[in-house]
Amino acid sequence: MNKIYRANILFTKEKDRFEVIENGYVAVDSEGRVVGVAPDLAMLGGEDAEVVDFGDKLLIPAMNDLHVHAPQYRNQGLAMDLELLPWLQNYTFPEEMKYANPSYAERPYRRFVRDLARLGTMRACVFATVHTESTRLLMELFREAGMGALVGKVAMDRNCPEALQEPVGPAVKGMEELIVESLAFLSPQSSERSAEPCLSPQSSERSAEAWRDGLVRPIITPRFVPTCSPEMLRACGELAAKYRLPVQSHLSENRDEIAWVAELEPQSTCYGDAYNRYGLFGQTPTVMAHCVWTDGEELALMKRNGVMVAHCPTSNFNVASGMAPVRRFLDEGLRVGLGSDISGGHDLSIFRMMVYAIQVSKMHYQQDHKRSFLSLSEAFWMATKCGGSFFGQVGSFEPGYEFDALVIDDADLNYDNYSLLERLERYIYLGDDRQIVHRFCRGQEITL
Amino acid sequence: MNKIYRANILFTKEKDRFEVIENGYVAVDSEGRVVGVAPDLAMLGGEDAEVVDFGDKLLIPAMNDLHVHAPQYRNQGLAMDLELLPWLQNYTFPEEMKYANPSYAERPYRRFVRDLARLGTMRACVFATVHTESTRLLMELFREAGMGALVGKVAMDRNCPEALQEPVGPAVKGMEELIVESLAFLSPQSSERSAEPCLSPQSSERSAEAWRDGLVRPIITPRFVPTCSPEMLRACGELAAKYRLPVQSHLSENRDEIAWVAELEPQSTCYGDAYNRYGLFGQTPTVMAHCVWTDGEELALMKRNGVMVAHCPTSNFNVASGMAPVRRFLDEGLRVGLGSDISGGHDLSIFRMMVYAIQVSKMHYQQDHKRSFLSLSEAFWMATKCGGSFFGQVGSFEPGYEFDALVIDDADLNYDNYSLLERLERYIYLGDDRQIVHRFCRGQEITL
């Protein structure tokens, strides 16, 4: 046992209810994993251990952001009244081009990583750009910060400005470079623990389990079907299979895009199937952003293949995409996490995403009364345990989970005998980074 | 000339565009009214005046909140996953009952007024409770703070807990007490300036113009049709006419409510007409909150009578009411301001309401493409000049306007050569109270 923390502990094992332990204890081992959580010290066998006492503060799992574009951070909260196309052409693409120069990238990337931490997000699925060098820099910045990230060098070779297109050959070379380098960061320990025989960079057989020991890892990232030729999609699928790497992309964000994909990939039964045919849809762990219009065949395929949804409610509002049927996804048993989707989304806080996710579900409820809206515990579960599941055992305080946690000092919001659950709800709705007084990722305190 | 301020000045004369004056000047007279605004000092004839220099900061009109329930402040961000009825029964009404005791009211009311100012709102249309004494206290707290408010002692005498019902007789007596007391606060100056012969408390003929000199004034506040008997509505209408006082209430927030009103007031052609028949719908300046389902006859009546809309987008999401057709209201020429509607809304910041209002308009746009979504200048205009018009000449820096202003130090958000308009947009989307470094209401600096 390494550390024991005492505080008011709240988390979600199941989506339908909170675990609430007033003045409880959580024990964490030297590898940063939770040993146990209990209302008294004796139950943890920790009578002799040193206890870090957070008093009346709240201790909750840290946030997980399942979809965010790091190179769009400079554009956060900008050009929000442009339509999608002029927005891409005048803001998004010109900004991404600048990341060809890593010395340009450093300042916004550093700020991005710091602000994620500041707002309580300890793990993120991140789109970088097509540029290998600045993607490497972003991975280094996450490592330096001690935070968890799946970082994707973006693959695209058509239907975007030429300066952002990279042919399949160099794209694969760049991705493979970053993959092999990342393998070197896996601790020797991890290869011992792994079921796989060997994790030397030379081995082409990787175990997803072993990858988990790397806090910062590559993720295969075709931007989306319209910007990737069939050859690029095939190459991405092959890399994912070869290195057992996860996959992220965009899916069914808006109706025009869906029609376009149907033209580009006429043999596919649905947009999702266009990824599926190339081994990019659940063959390895896969998260798809948006899914605003996912239904029927596509929903069934996601379910069958265990593809996860990154729900990005503010982005879907800002870009006028629509309102994703998240409650339906949960009812169907899909795993759903939350994404800020900077800079389609304007807010980097996953706490704000919980509020928006509930609001979106309320508009579906208002419109058809078919399904109840999301409860607070469901939104919290998506932000923590369910979202965290894409990174490993992350997002809960159950034994074996990595200790990713936030300590919330809500004294300024808690002025009037609120219950612990009310305090948490008020923090989610009203709080911001000012109340986050400690941050932990895999057991280590993260300083800003 | 009293004061000249120098800063980067942004405001909206018209809804369709911003006025942007880089390193400009605004001159304010000793009564707190804008004398002029210009790019250089000479144009203001102020070469000899003392200039307060805010350097590279932004100077914008302060926010106006057109709909907020002060006694629900303790419940802000609470019970957001309850349906409307249990929420009213378990949270809203029990909390309002406590305001029978002014010593209970003081702490939350003081916090409410301070937080309004903290977030940059200098004027608000406020619902208090049925209790005369704590309503008086709330008015005093606004006066003490130097802020502008229209404060309503709430009228209700049916369809709510008995403890919150007040019969017509005592209700009118209480309202009239507060009105007469407020008249005493009007400066002697104001009665001189007024076209009306006399503003002594004894006079029953008041001029709306004269009332404007009181920063804190009463507003006639029938809660909504279902909780007000015809006698109560009639009495409210008579008081409004007698004292030339403005009116606020709720209108067409959700479909069940509309059906209920149709039952209660069968002779009315629409919900709005139920107010209209009692002189509560534009006979004096009137603002109606929500109007989510306002259409046809009701919309025409609002237009004809000049009734203003308080658009409360977060509340409409949280309470699952729906999405108000704000862009349509603007196209039809209705005046629309923004309201936080605490605690149906969870956020007291009118900057956040701008973001939500744009998002709501984007969902309408996404659904039918009939009307474009709101531009940033339109949202800003609703929060400032249009919303402010309910309080007098408030919300702009045009000559004659009361100088209600915020100084924004956005250095932490402005790290990369943003234009002034981009800086304002980023502040609206990303900023919070931390960047507001000065607040002015009618020319006076407001301290927290």
Side-chain angles (χ1 to χ4, degrees), chain A residues 4-11 19-27 37-44 51-59 414 419-421 423:
Chain A
I4 293 185
Y5 300 102
R6 180 181 176 281
N8 294 307
I9 298 169
L10 299 103
F11 63 105
E19 310 296 317
V20 182
I21 311 177
E22 193 170 352
N23 296 322
Y25 298 84
V26 55
V37 57
D40 63 70
L41 211 47
M43 291 167 74
L44 293 174
V51 173
V52 179
D53 190 348
F54 292 125
D56 190 42
K57 300 184 181 66
L58 309 178
L59 179 68
N414 177 35
S419 72
L420 287 180
L421 266 181
R423 286 171 59 186

Side-chain angles (χ1 to χ4, degrees), chain A residues 73-74 76-83 91 104 107 111 293 314 316-318 320-323 346 355-356 359 362-363 365-367 373-376 412 415-418 422 425-426 429-430 432-434, chain B residues 73-74 76-83 91 104 107 111 293 314 316-318 320-323 346 355-356 359 362-363 365-367 373-376 412 415-418 422 425-426 429-430 432-434:
Chain A
Y73 197 51
R74 187 199 175 277
Q76 188 192 17
L78 222 63
M80 294 272 90
D81 56 11
L82 289 188
E83 302 257 4
Y91 282 83
Y104 175 85
R107 200 165 69 131
R111 177 177 284 266
W293 302 103
T314 48
N316 298 332
F317 277 139
N318 291 340
S321 306
M323 298 185 284
H346 64 276
V355 171
Y356 270 99
Q359 290 173 328
K362 281 175 173 170
M363 286 302 96
Y365 169 77
Q366 185 276 312
Q367 283 168 9
F373 46 80
L374 293 174
S375 66
L376 189 71
D412 58 335
Y415 54 85
D416 196 16
N417 302 320
Y418 296 99
E422 288 178 336
E425 183 171 15
R426 277 171 61 85
Y429 275 89
L430 313 180
D432 57 39
D433 54 299
R434 283 172 275 198
Chain B
Y73 198 51
R74 188 200 175 276
Q76 188 193 16
L78 222 62
M80 293 273 91
D81 55 9
L82 289 187
E83 301 258 6
Y91 282 82
Y104 175 85
R107 199 165 69 131
R111 176 177 284 265
W293 301 104
T314 48
N316 298 156
F317 276 141
N318 292 339
S321 306
M323 297 185 284
H346 65 275
V355 172
Y356 269 98
Q359 291 173 329
K362 283 177 171 169
M363 287 303 95
Y365 170 76
Q366 185 274 312
Q367 282 167 11
F373 46 80
L374 294 174
S375 66
L376 189 71
D412 56 335
Y415 54 84
D416 196 15
N417 303 319
Y418 295 99
E422 288 178 334
E425 184 172 15
R426 277 170 62 85
Y429 275 90
L430 313 179
D432 58 39
D433 53 300
R434 281 173 278 197

Side-chain angles (χ1 to χ4, degrees), chain B residues 296-309:
Chain B
E297 167 76 10
E298 187 163 280
L299 200 151
L301 187 60
M302 291 183 78
K303 220 167 132 173
R304 209 154 56 233
N305 290 11
V307 173
M308 195 162 173
V309 176

Side-chain angles (χ1 to χ4, degrees), chain A residues 56-87:
Chain A
D56 190 42
K57 300 184 181 66
L58 309 178
L59 179 68
I60 61 174
M63 299 293 107
N64 302 288
D65 188 336
L66 286 204
H67 184 67
V68 59
H69 293 262
Q72 292 175 28
Y73 197 51
R74 187 199 175 277
N75 288 344
Q76 188 192 17
L78 222 63
M80 294 272 90
D81 56 11
L82 289 188
E83 302 257 4
L84 185 61
L85 277 184
W87 179 74

Side-chain angles (χ1 to χ4, degrees), chain A residues 296-429:
Chain A
E297 166 76 10
E298 186 164 279
L299 200 151
L301 187 60
M302 292 184 77
K303 219 167 135 174
R304 212 154 56 232
N305 289 11
V307 173
M308 196 160 172
V309 177
H311 176 43
C312 307
T314 48
S315 170
N316 298 332
F317 277 139
N318 291 340
V319 189
S321 306
M323 298 185 284
V326 174
R327 149 63 65 198
R328 182 169 175 214
F329 293 154
L330 292 184
D331 288 352
E332 299 263 0
L334 287 189
R335 285 190 304 150
V336 185
L338 298 173
S340 66
D341 192 23
I342 302 296
S343 69
H346 64 276
D347 200 323
L348 193 60
S349 161
I350 295 299
F351 290 104
R352 283 297 92 74
M353 293 313 109
M354 291 190 219
V355 171
Y356 270 99
I358 293 171
Q359 290 173 328
V360 165
S361 73
K362 281 175 173 170
M363 286 302 96
H364 281 289
Y365 169 77
Q366 185 276 312
Q367 283 168 9
D368 60 19
H369 277 73
K370 270 193 211 152
R371 295 165 198 278
S372 65
F373 46 80
L374 293 174
S375 66
L376 189 71
S377 70
E378 287 173 316
F380 192 83
W381 176 82
M382 292 196 296
T384 57
K385 187 172 176 180
C386 191
S389 70
F390 199 70
F391 303 91
Q393 276 194 296
V394 170
S396 177
F397 293 148
E398 293 158 76
Y401 272 73
E402 305 188 28
F403 186 68
D404 282 24
L406 305 175
V407 179
I408 310 288
D409 181 356
D410 64 336
D412 58 335
L413 300 174
N414 177 35
Y415 54 85
D416 196 16
N417 302 320
Y418 296 99
S419 72
L420 287 180
L421 266 181
E422 288 178 336
R423 286 171 59 186
L424 179 61
E425 183 171 15
R426 277 171 61 85
Y427 176 70
I428 291 169
Y429 275 89

